[in-house]
Amino acid sequence: MANKGQQPPYLHLAELTASQFLDIWKHFDADGNGYIEGKELENFFSHLEIARRGAGVDPSNAAFKEKMTEFMQKFDKNKDGRIEMSELAQILPTEENFLLCFRQFVGSSTEFMAAWRKYDTDRSGFIEANELKGFLSDLLKKANRHYDDQKLQEYTQTILKMFDLNGDGKLGLSEMARLLPVQENFLLKFQGVRLTAEQFNAIFAYYDKDGNGYIDEQELDALLKDLYEKNNKEVDSKSLNGYKQSIMALSDGGKLYRTELEIVLCREPML
C-alpha cells in the first residue's frame, strides 16, 4: 500500500526496471485491489504530468480534466475507467518491457491457458516459484530477448511480489492472467460469476450427467450459458465461444475434468 507521506518513486526515469515498475504500481494502487482508480487515478495522472513536464498541475482545472480524459481514451483499453497492470505497462517505459514480452509469448487467452497447462504440471491451479522461472525463461526466448540469470531472477521475484500476496511461493491462474492484455483476459469476465465450492460442486454434478468426472465441449457451452443467465450477465455468442475455447485449452483430449474447470470458476481452489 502507498505511504501518503512519500513522493511517488521513479516516474521521472527514462526507463524502469521490473522492480521499479512494481514499486510504482504498489504506490498508486493504494488499496491493493488490482486497479488504479478514482482518487488513485487522479493522483497518478497528476504526478505523471509533474514528472514529465516538470510543472505543477491543478486537478480541479478544466484543462487537467481534459488531458486526463484524452489519456484514458488512449490507455484504458477496456474502457472501464480505471488502469490495470497490463495497461500501466503501456504507459510507463519499462526496461525490456517484460510485461509486453509476456503478451508476445501468450497474445491470446487460449495460448495463455495452453502455456499454463504446460507449467502447472500437477494440475493444482498454481505455478510454483521454480516453475515460474522456467515459464519466464521460455517467455524471453520466444520473444528473442537476451537475458542473464540475474535478470531472470529479478523478473521471477518481481512477478512473485506482484501476485504471491500470502508469501507461499505459488501463483494462481487468475492472478497470472492479470498480465494478459485486458481484452484477452477472459477470467476477468467471470469475476461476477465466481462460485463457492458448494455451488461449483452442484453445477458440475448437474452437467456431469454420467458421473465420470469430466464434461465435454457441448456440456461446457450449456454450463457457461446457464451461468451467465443466472447472474443476469449479457454475453454474445462470439465472446462465449472464445471463453469456451480458452477453458477447453485446459482439457485433456476434449475432456474437461473437475480440477481444470474449478481453477476458472471457483473463488478458491478446493483442497
Side-chain angles (χ1 to χ4, degrees):
M1 289 198 183
N3 182 337
K4 289 180 170 53
Q6 289 181 342
Q7 285 297 309
Y10 312 125
L11 282 179
H12 63 287
L13 297 179
E15 186 175 76
L16 300 169
T17 65
S19 55
Q20 287 169 342
F21 174 89
L22 176 60
D23 286 344
I24 289 174
W25 175 263
K26 285 186 171 178
H27 182 94
F28 288 104
D29 179 21
D31 59 5
N33 72 343
Y35 301 96
I36 297 174
E37 57 187 341
K39 285 292 181 187
E40 296 170 340
L41 182 58
E42 194 174 278
N43 187 33
F44 169 70
F45 184 66
S46 62
H47 280 102
L48 189 64
E49 283 287 284
I50 291 167
R52 289 181 173 178
R53 302 177 194 285
V57 293
D58 177 8
S60 63
N61 186 288
F64 173 86
K65 292 184 184 301
E66 190 177 316
K67 276 185 184 177
M68 188 167 163
T69 300
E70 288 173 9
F71 172 83
M72 290 300 287
Q73 284 173 347
K74 182 176 180 182
F75 293 109
D76 181 20
K77 302 297 184 186
N78 63 343
K79 310 299 181 195
D80 65 352
R82 52 192 184 177
I83 295 294
E84 294 160 41
M85 189 174 286
S86 58
E87 291 169 331
L88 187 65
Q90 301 282 345
I91 298 165
L92 300 179
T94 309
E95 169 205 58
E96 296 182 4
N97 201 325
F98 79 111
L99 295 177
L100 296 182
C101 272
F102 184 93
R103 292 174 172 198
Q104 290 166 8
F105 178 46
V106 281
S108 73
S109 51
T110 303
E111 288 174 343
F112 173 81
M113 293 295 253
W116 176 271
R117 185 170 184 190
K118 177 181 173 185
Y119 288 92
D120 180 21
T121 50
D122 58 359
R123 308 270 185 94
S124 65
F126 296 95
I127 286 183
E128 312 278 340
N130 60 331
E131 294 169 327
L132 175 62
K133 196 169 180 180
F135 185 94
L136 294 175
S137 177
D138 273 7
L139 177 165
L140 292 163
K141 283 175 188 169
K142 290 208 174 202
N144 292 318
R145 300 280 182 163
H146 297 290
Y147 65 93
D148 54 27
D149 283 343
Q150 185 179 348
K151 185 60 65 180
L152 182 61
Q153 190 62 29
E154 183 196 344
Y155 289 166
T156 304
Q157 289 306 310
T158 298
I159 289 184
L160 275 173
K161 285 176 190 171
M162 283 178 180
F163 300 122
D164 182 22
L165 300 181
N166 64 358
D168 65 356
K170 298 177 181 179
L171 295 178
L173 174 67
S174 58
E175 296 165 329
M176 282 293 284
R178 281 171 56 195
L179 287 170
L180 277 168
V182 173
Q183 61 273 28
E184 281 291 344
N185 189 352
F186 75 99
L187 290 172
L188 291 175
K189 312 296 189 300
F190 287 106
Q191 282 184 341
V193 294
R194 305 287 273 184
L195 305 173
T196 63
E198 292 77 15
Q199 289 169 330
F200 175 80
N201 282 333
I203 200 167
F204 191 89
Y206 178 80
Y207 285 97
D208 179 23
K209 302 287 188 189
D210 54 6
N212 58 9
Y214 64 83
I215 59 176
D216 61 25
E217 191 168 336
Q218 261 187 316
E219 291 165 331
L220 176 62
D221 188 68
L223 184 154
L224 292 178
K225 284 176 182 170
D226 194 22
L227 267 183
Y228 274 97
E229 285 170 12
K230 283 183 177 174
N231 286 272
N232 297 315
K233 287 184 171 285
E234 291 184 10
V235 63
D236 59 72
S237 57
K238 184 179 177 185
S239 296
L240 189 67
N241 191 55
Y243 306 155
K244 183 176 67 179
Q245 294 307 318
S246 298
I247 297 171
M248 287 306 294
L250 282 177
S251 70
D252 183 3
K255 298 175 181 177
L256 188 66
Y257 286 89
R258 174 186 290 270
T259 50
E260 277 79 35
L261 191 58
E262 174 197 325
I263 289 169
V264 177
L265 296 180
C266 273
R267 290 191 180 94
E268 296 292 340
M270 290 171 265
L271 299 177

